[in-house]
Amino acid sequence: MRLYQKYLTLLLLILLTMIVYFYVQKKQEFVNRIDIVLMNLLDKQIEQEKAESFAFAFALAQNETLQTAIETNNSKKATEILKQYTSTLEVFSGSKVHAQIVTKDFIILARNWENTSTGLSIKAYRPDLEDIVLTHKPHLSFEAARRLVLIASIPVIKEKHLIGFIEVIQKLDAMKNYFANYDIDLLVLMDDKYKDQAVLLKNNPRIENMIVANDDANIHHISYLKRAGLTDLLTNGVHEGDNYVYFSRSILNADGQNIGSFVLVLSKKKMKLFNAFEEELDTFLTYSRKDLYLSVINHDPSANLWNNYTAAELLSLKKCVHPEDKTALEERLRTDLGHYSKDELISLLLDTNSNQKSRGHIK
């Protein structure tokens, strides 16, 4: 081989190396941009769920009738009040609300979703409550209790004495559904050092030293991560698989301890679609279909199908409405029902959910 051919070959190798290098760099930069946007979406949803949980728990803690029920250990009355208030909130929020009352001795006094746990001691599962006993300060964080959940815990104080706790509990369903709007899968992993207290997760799948905390997690992703391992994902925050890219973020409890990880999973096919809109990536990922739908309705009120319906009619339609219409319907309900008195609201809800019309008062 002549000298100029050697130089030409060397030059081509250098050029090829540079092309590969810059391609990898550009690809990594794009993945990093998606990582930032996904984590922003995650933070946004967590903050929204925290704000809603805290506001409702705090409002319940100010209810004097409920305080009396806690003070007198009246489980029946406490359950009745919880169900009244949570059913109304669920009409506005469109999602299931789990609220419970715990006595100062860590005994479940009432729950709005079931009564089989009444009288159960949760002291072994809830070390976070002992800190509230000492400080009288609310807690709002993810906790490894009987399962991994977001809990807003408000101490109920009467005449400077702690008489119990009001708690609003958010499971992982709402977060999973939120990311499903963007075709993003969610895996929630909990450190298995909490396995003894997380008794409701004892049959859930495991990946190395982590327990999969959401019951309906994608089996394909679980199987893949069992083969690939978690080291790269949890150390670097990003792991590229065969068909998917995995992004992780630590979950901290009220004491700042790492109790697990959120894992967001995006298909490479979806990433190629985003790549075509790289300049608009932040906007493209920030708005889901329901956000865009609501934006159109707000821009052109005449497009809102629900303007000509009464509140009672809207409530009756709520369960059968098309998913894309649901957000607009709920927005209209929030506006209309906000003008109702307490008695009118209760009457409306009873009339809508029963074949027999009833009237009542909140005591």
Side-chain angles (χ1 to χ4, degrees), residues 88 91-92 310-312 314-315 318 329-342 344-346 348-349 352:
T88 302
V91 171
F92 286 92
T310 66
L314 292 175
L315 280 173
K318 188 171 182 293
L329 184 148
E330 289 174 352
E331 288 297 324
R332 176 60 192 273
L333 272 174
R334 288 188 182 94
T335 301
D336 287 1
L337 295 181
H339 302 298
Y340 277 57
S341 70
K342 190 182 298 181
E344 288 173 335
L345 184 59
I346 292 297
L348 176 63
L349 293 176
T352 303

Short mmCIF file of all heavy atoms in Angstrom, two decimals, residues 88 91-92 310-312 314-315 318 329-342 344-346 348-349 352:
data_model
loop_
_atom_site.label_atom_id
_atom_site.label_comp_id
_atom_site.label_asym_id
_atom_site.label_seq_id
_atom_site.Cartn_x
_atom_site.Cartn_y
_atom_site.Cartn_z
N THR A 88 -68.25 13.59 48.33
CA THR A 88 -68.39 14.89 47.68
C THR A 88 -67.11 15.27 46.94
O THR A 88 -67.14 15.74 45.80
CB THR A 88 -68.73 15.98 48.71
OG1 THR A 88 -69.93 15.62 49.40
CG2 THR A 88 -68.92 17.33 48.04
N VAL A 91 -66.59 13.56 43.59
CA VAL A 91 -67.36 14.11 42.48
C VAL A 91 -66.56 15.21 41.79
O VAL A 91 -66.53 15.31 40.56
CB VAL A 91 -68.71 14.68 42.98
CG1 VAL A 91 -69.42 15.45 41.86
CG2 VAL A 91 -69.60 13.56 43.47
N PHE A 92 -65.87 16.02 42.57
CA PHE A 92 -65.09 17.13 42.01
C PHE A 92 -63.77 16.66 41.40
O PHE A 92 -63.36 17.14 40.36
CB PHE A 92 -64.80 18.17 43.10
CG PHE A 92 -65.99 19.00 43.45
CD1 PHE A 92 -66.83 18.62 44.48
CD2 PHE A 92 -66.28 20.16 42.75
CE1 PHE A 92 -67.93 19.39 44.82
CE2 PHE A 92 -67.38 20.92 43.07
CZ PHE A 92 -68.22 20.55 44.11
N THR A 310 -77.86 20.78 32.71
CA THR A 310 -77.92 21.14 34.12
C THR A 310 -76.90 20.33 34.89
O THR A 310 -76.38 19.33 34.39
CB THR A 310 -79.32 20.86 34.70
OG1 THR A 310 -79.54 19.44 34.69
CG2 THR A 310 -80.39 21.56 33.89
N ALA A 311 -76.62 20.74 36.15
CA ALA A 311 -75.66 20.01 36.98
C ALA A 311 -76.11 18.58 37.23
O ALA A 311 -75.30 17.64 37.22
CB ALA A 311 -75.46 20.74 38.31
N ALA A 312 -77.41 18.38 37.45
CA ALA A 312 -77.93 17.02 37.68
C ALA A 312 -77.72 16.15 36.46
O ALA A 312 -77.35 14.97 36.58
CB ALA A 312 -79.42 17.09 38.03
N LEU A 314 -75.40 16.56 34.18
CA LEU A 314 -73.97 16.33 34.02
C LEU A 314 -73.49 15.21 34.95
O LEU A 314 -72.67 14.37 34.57
CB LEU A 314 -73.18 17.62 34.31
CG LEU A 314 -73.35 18.75 33.30
CD1 LEU A 314 -72.62 20.00 33.77
CD2 LEU A 314 -72.85 18.34 31.92
N LEU A 315 -74.00 15.20 36.19
CA LEU A 315 -73.61 14.16 37.13
C LEU A 315 -74.06 12.79 36.64
O LEU A 315 -73.34 11.80 36.78
CB LEU A 315 -74.21 14.43 38.51
CG LEU A 315 -73.48 15.46 39.37
CD1 LEU A 315 -74.28 15.76 40.63
CD2 LEU A 315 -72.08 14.99 39.73
N LYS A 318 -71.66 11.53 33.99
CA LYS A 318 -70.23 11.46 34.33
C LYS A 318 -69.63 10.08 34.16
O LYS A 318 -68.49 9.92 33.72
CB LYS A 318 -70.03 11.94 35.76
CG LYS A 318 -68.57 12.09 36.16
CD LYS A 318 -68.47 12.78 37.51
CE LYS A 318 -67.02 12.98 37.89
NZ LYS A 318 -66.33 11.74 38.15
N LEU A 329 -66.15 18.04 31.16
CA LEU A 329 -67.36 17.86 31.96
C LEU A 329 -67.07 18.17 33.43
O LEU A 329 -67.85 18.85 34.10
CB LEU A 329 -67.88 16.43 31.79
CG LEU A 329 -69.21 16.09 32.48
CD1 LEU A 329 -69.98 15.06 31.68
CD2 LEU A 329 -68.96 15.53 33.89
N GLU A 330 -65.95 17.66 33.94
CA GLU A 330 -65.60 17.88 35.34
C GLU A 330 -65.33 19.36 35.63
O GLU A 330 -65.68 19.86 36.69
CB GLU A 330 -64.40 17.01 35.72
CG GLU A 330 -64.74 15.53 35.79
CD GLU A 330 -63.50 14.67 36.02
OE1 GLU A 330 -62.39 15.21 35.97
OE2 GLU A 330 -63.67 13.45 36.24
N GLU A 331 -64.69 20.04 34.68
CA GLU A 331 -64.45 21.47 34.85
C GLU A 331 -65.77 22.23 34.96
O GLU A 331 -65.93 23.13 35.78
CB GLU A 331 -63.63 22.01 33.67
CG GLU A 331 -62.17 21.58 33.67
CD GLU A 331 -61.41 22.10 34.87
OE1 GLU A 331 -61.69 23.23 35.31
OE2 GLU A 331 -60.53 21.38 35.38
N ARG A 332 -66.72 21.85 34.11
CA ARG A 332 -68.03 22.50 34.15
C ARG A 332 -68.74 22.21 35.47
O ARG A 332 -69.37 23.08 36.08
CB ARG A 332 -68.88 22.02 32.97
CG ARG A 332 -70.31 22.56 32.96
CD ARG A 332 -70.34 24.10 32.89
NE ARG A 332 -71.66 24.60 33.17
CZ ARG A 332 -72.62 24.74 32.25
NH1 ARG A 332 -72.36 24.42 30.99
NH2 ARG A 332 -73.79 25.20 32.58
N LEU A 333 -68.63 20.94 35.95
CA LEU A 333 -69.25 20.58 37.23
C LEU A 333 -68.66 21.39 38.38
O LEU A 333 -69.39 21.84 39.26
CB LEU A 333 -69.06 19.08 37.49
CG LEU A 333 -70.12 18.13 36.92
CD1 LEU A 333 -69.70 16.69 37.15
CD2 LEU A 333 -71.47 18.39 37.56
N ARG A 334 -67.34 21.55 38.39
CA ARG A 334 -66.71 22.32 39.47
C ARG A 334 -67.26 23.74 39.52
O ARG A 334 -67.50 24.31 40.58
CB ARG A 334 -65.18 22.34 39.27
CG ARG A 334 -64.50 21.02 39.55
CD ARG A 334 -62.98 21.18 39.53
NE ARG A 334 -62.33 19.90 39.74
CZ ARG A 334 -61.93 19.11 38.75
NH1 ARG A 334 -62.11 19.49 37.49
NH2 ARG A 334 -61.34 17.96 39.01
N THR A 335 -67.43 24.33 38.34
CA THR A 335 -67.96 25.70 38.27
C THR A 335 -69.40 25.76 38.76
O THR A 335 -69.77 26.60 39.60
CB THR A 335 -67.87 26.23 36.83
OG1 THR A 335 -66.51 26.20 36.39
CG2 THR A 335 -68.40 27.65 36.74
N ASP A 336 -70.24 24.86 38.25
CA ASP A 336 -71.67 24.89 38.59
C ASP A 336 -71.92 24.55 40.06
O ASP A 336 -72.68 25.22 40.75
CB ASP A 336 -72.45 23.91 37.71
CG ASP A 336 -72.58 24.42 36.28
OD1 ASP A 336 -72.05 25.51 35.99
OD2 ASP A 336 -73.19 23.72 35.45
N LEU A 337 -71.27 23.48 40.54
CA LEU A 337 -71.53 23.03 41.91
C LEU A 337 -70.94 23.95 42.96
O LEU A 337 -71.34 23.92 44.12
CB LEU A 337 -70.99 21.61 42.10
CG LEU A 337 -71.67 20.52 41.25
CD1 LEU A 337 -71.05 19.16 41.55
CD2 LEU A 337 -73.16 20.47 41.50
N GLY A 338 -69.99 24.78 42.54
CA GLY A 338 -69.40 25.74 43.47
C GLY A 338 -70.40 26.77 43.99
O GLY A 338 -70.20 27.39 45.03
N HIS A 339 -71.52 26.94 43.26
CA HIS A 339 -72.55 27.91 43.66
C HIS A 339 -73.64 27.27 44.52
O HIS A 339 -74.55 27.96 44.97
CB HIS A 339 -73.18 28.53 42.42
CG HIS A 339 -72.20 29.23 41.52
ND1 HIS A 339 -71.45 30.32 41.92
CD2 HIS A 339 -71.82 28.96 40.24
CE1 HIS A 339 -70.68 30.71 40.94
NE2 HIS A 339 -70.87 29.90 39.90
N TYR A 340 -73.57 25.95 44.73
CA TYR A 340 -74.60 25.26 45.50
C TYR A 340 -74.34 25.42 47.00
O TYR A 340 -73.18 25.46 47.44
CB TYR A 340 -74.62 23.77 45.16
CG TYR A 340 -75.41 23.44 43.91
CD1 TYR A 340 -75.10 24.02 42.69
CD2 TYR A 340 -76.46 22.51 43.94
CE1 TYR A 340 -75.81 23.71 41.54
CE2 TYR A 340 -77.17 22.18 42.80
CZ TYR A 340 -76.84 22.80 41.59
OH TYR A 340 -77.54 22.49 40.47
N SER A 341 -75.40 25.46 47.78
CA SER A 341 -75.25 25.41 49.23
C SER A 341 -74.94 23.97 49.64
O SER A 341 -75.09 23.04 48.85
CB SER A 341 -76.53 25.88 49.92
OG SER A 341 -77.56 24.92 49.73
N LYS A 342 -74.57 23.79 50.90
CA LYS A 342 -74.24 22.45 51.40
C LYS A 342 -75.44 21.51 51.28
O LYS A 342 -75.32 20.37 50.80
CB LYS A 342 -73.79 22.56 52.87
CG LYS A 342 -73.20 21.28 53.43
CD LYS A 342 -72.84 21.46 54.90
CE LYS A 342 -71.79 22.52 55.10
NZ LYS A 342 -71.42 22.68 56.53
N GLU A 344 -78.09 21.81 49.29
CA GLU A 344 -78.42 21.58 47.89
C GLU A 344 -77.48 20.55 47.26
O GLU A 344 -77.91 19.71 46.45
CB GLU A 344 -78.34 22.89 47.11
CG GLU A 344 -79.48 23.86 47.42
CD GLU A 344 -79.27 25.22 46.77
OE1 GLU A 344 -78.10 25.58 46.49
OE2 GLU A 344 -80.26 25.92 46.53
N LEU A 345 -76.21 20.62 47.64
CA LEU A 345 -75.22 19.70 47.08
C LEU A 345 -75.50 18.27 47.53
O LEU A 345 -75.49 17.34 46.71
CB LEU A 345 -73.82 20.12 47.51
CG LEU A 345 -72.65 19.32 46.93
CD1 LEU A 345 -72.66 19.37 45.42
CD2 LEU A 345 -71.33 19.84 47.49
N ILE A 346 -75.79 18.09 48.82
CA ILE A 346 -76.10 16.74 49.32
C ILE A 346 -77.35 16.20 48.64
O ILE A 346 -77.40 15.04 48.21
CB ILE A 346 -76.29 16.76 50.85
CG1 ILE A 346 -74.95 17.06 51.53
CG2 ILE A 346 -76.84 15.43 51.34
CD1 ILE A 346 -73.88 16.03 51.29
N LEU A 348 -78.56 16.99 45.73
CA LEU A 348 -78.26 16.69 44.33
C LEU A 348 -77.54 15.36 44.19
O LEU A 348 -77.87 14.54 43.33
CB LEU A 348 -77.42 17.82 43.73
CG LEU A 348 -76.93 17.62 42.29
CD1 LEU A 348 -78.12 17.53 41.34
CD2 LEU A 348 -76.00 18.74 41.89
N LEU A 349 -76.55 15.11 45.06
CA LEU A 349 -75.80 13.87 44.98
C LEU A 349 -76.67 12.66 45.30
O LEU A 349 -76.58 11.62 44.64
CB LEU A 349 -74.61 13.91 45.95
CG LEU A 349 -73.50 14.92 45.61
CD1 LEU A 349 -72.44 14.93 46.71
CD2 LEU A 349 -72.88 14.59 44.27
N THR A 352 -78.99 12.00 42.34
CA THR A 352 -78.29 11.48 41.16
C THR A 352 -77.93 10.02 41.33
O THR A 352 -77.94 9.24 40.38
CB THR A 352 -77.01 12.29 40.90
OG1 THR A 352 -77.36 13.67 40.73
CG2 THR A 352 -76.31 11.80 39.63
#
